[in-house]
Amino acid sequence: MESELPDHVRWLDDHAFHVTGRRDGAVQVGGVNVFPQRVRHCLCEHPEVADALVRLASVGQGGRLKAFVVPGPACLEAERLPERLQLWLAQRLTPAEQPRSITIGSQLPRSVLGKAMDWD
């Protein structure tokens, strides 16, 4: 009988494998499963946000979520947008889901191939 594993795996041989990632997109933040896509969706619901990217920061950066946000046309003060977004998210997300940092930019960070990439 064959069944699907709950995680992505790389088979090492017929009897051993290495887990390479989760299928559900969850990451661990402070021992709690959080879903960066859920946080991204919440950010994109804000009227001043055109687009967003959310990912887990490295351990050196605190090991919490971080967000990159592209302001939309309704945003008048982009330099104060992170403060407004933190208040918005605090009303909608659990503490573990709330990004520790929000970076503002004119476009999402992408590689030359168009793939989402990390930012500092």
Side-chain angles (χ1 to χ4, degrees):
M1 180 175 156
E2 204 172 296
S3 63
E4 192 170 300
L5 295 172
D7 295 317
H8 295 287
V9 299
R10 181 175 47 90
W11 287 95
L12 304 173
D13 59 36
D14 289 342
H15 304 286
F17 60 86
H18 175 73
V19 176
T20 60
R22 296 178 62 128
R23 289 186 188 271
D24 62 7
V27 296
Q28 287 272 316
V29 175
V32 177
N33 286 343
V34 298
F35 297 86
Q37 278 301 107
R38 170 177 148 69
V39 178
R40 179 191 176 275
H41 179 75
C42 190
L43 281 164
C44 289
E45 287 180 335
H46 191 280
E48 295 181 76
V49 174
D51 206 353
L53 184 59
V54 177
R55 64 176 29 188
L56 186 63
S58 69
V59 173
Q61 294 173 320
R64 301 286 303 258
L65 292 183
K66 63 181 183 176
F68 190 100
V69 172
V70 176
C75 181
L76 299 177
E77 286 185 87
E79 64 277 357
R80 295 186 48 105
L81 182 56
E83 296 169 36
R84 294 190 298 277
L85 291 174
Q86 292 289 6
L87 293 172
W88 168 271
L89 295 173
Q91 296 172 0
R92 290 162 176 79
L93 301 173
T94 67
E97 293 174 306
Q98 295 171 38
R100 187 57 62 83
S101 69
I102 298 176
T103 302
I104 304 297
S106 61
Q107 61 185 18
L108 295 179
R110 300 239 179 241
S111 71
V112 294
L113 299 175
K115 290 186 174 190
M117 56 185 255
D118 203 2
W119 63 95
D120 290 327

